[in-house]
Amino acid sequence: MIIFNRSVHKIHRDRASKNLHQHDFLMNHIHEDMVERIQDHSKKHETVLDLGCYNGAFLKNRSGLEIKQLVQTDLSYKMLQKAKGERVQVNEEFLP
C-alpha cells in the first residue's frame, strides 16, 4: 500500500535541500530531544538507521551516544549529499 505520492515527496525534498541550512533549527531541536530520550535507555548502540536523515542532523546532534554504525537514509539524493558518513538512498515505504 502506498501512503504518499513518493515522486512528489522526492521533488519537495530535492527542492528543500537547497536552503535547508537556513531553516533546520526545528530538525536540530528534534534530534537533540531524541538523543536525550535515547540516552535514558542506553548510551551504546551497535547499528542505528536514520530514516529521512535530511542534512545529517542526527549525526551532528548525537553527542553522548556511542554508535558503532550509523546508516543515514533519505528518499532525496540531493538531501543525502548534505549529510556525511554512510548514506543510502531509499524509499521508506519499500524497505526489505
Side-chain angles (χ1 to χ4, degrees):
M1 174 171 76
I2 297 176
I3 299 172
F4 297 106
N5 183 331
R6 304 313 280 177
S7 300
V8 172
H9 186 59
K10 181 182 176 301
I11 290 168
H12 289 171
R13 290 181 76 80
D14 285 346
R15 191 174 346 137
S17 72
K18 294 176 186 172
N19 62 356
L20 181 66
H21 64 281
Q22 296 172 356
H23 309 283
D24 65 349
F25 61 92
L26 184 57
M27 289 307 302
N28 286 327
H29 177 72
I30 290 168
H31 283 101
E32 288 170 6
D33 186 50
M34 189 168 38
V35 166
E36 285 180 24
R37 291 170 188 245
I38 293 170
Q39 284 178 335
D40 289 343
H41 300 285
S42 176
K43 293 184 192 272
K44 292 184 179 183
H45 303 277
E46 289 291 320
T47 304
V48 173
L49 178 63
D50 184 2
L51 287 173
C53 69
Y54 289 91
N55 60 353
F58 181 79
L59 181 64
K60 295 173 188 174
N61 295 301
R62 68 180 180 118
S63 63
L65 288 180
E66 189 178 315
I67 299 171
K68 287 191 178 182
Q69 181 182 21
L70 173 65
V71 180
Q72 301 173 99
T73 68
D74 206 286
L75 180 63
S76 166
Y77 180 73
K78 290 181 180 181
M79 200 67 83
L80 280 175
Q81 289 177 320
K82 306 279 184 194
K84 298 196 181 332
E86 191 172 345
R87 302 163 289 181
V88 181
Q89 183 177 9
V90 300
N91 183 335
E92 299 93 344
E93 291 188 15
F94 296 103
L95 293 174

